[in-house]
Amino acid sequence: QVQLVESGGGLVQAGDSLRLSCAASGRTFSVYAMAWFRQAPGKEREFAAAITRIGGNTYYTDSVKGRFTISRDNSKNTMFLQMNSLKPEDTAVYYCAASLRMDRGTSDYGNDYDYWGQGTQVTVSS
């Protein structure tokens, strides 16, 4: 079992940057493939970015490619999402997720993840 806690959200203007963190406690962090999902008001949750267990491979949804960077520090049990050039359409609650079921890869499908954090709000004003 792992517990996930997100932080770093806030209110920013379009073009600004934010860095989200996801701190994990419990089982060894490196056994988990990790991802960030987001849910905007009135919309379904969507995939944003994912990273493999050791961090060798990363994946992004098209709308954030070139602006967001996912990373992890297994020695600190923490995952990050660096968000640059933020747009109003990035406004959402951002959730981190962990999966024990992907030894080498990742997934953009929420049901492939076993554990979720409570979320952190990101609001981007125009």
Side-chain angles (χ1 to χ4, degrees), residues 55-67:
N57 292 297
T58 57
Y59 303 90
Y60 301 91
T61 192
D62 286 345
S63 63
V64 308
K65 283 180 182 176
R67 301 188 298 121

Side-chain angles (χ1 to χ4, degrees), residues 11-16 86-91 122-126:
L11 172 63
V12 297
Q13 293 186 332
D16 286 350
L86 282 161
K87 303 175 180 180
E89 51 263 45
D90 294 318
T91 295
V122 172
T123 303
V124 184
S125 63
S126 58

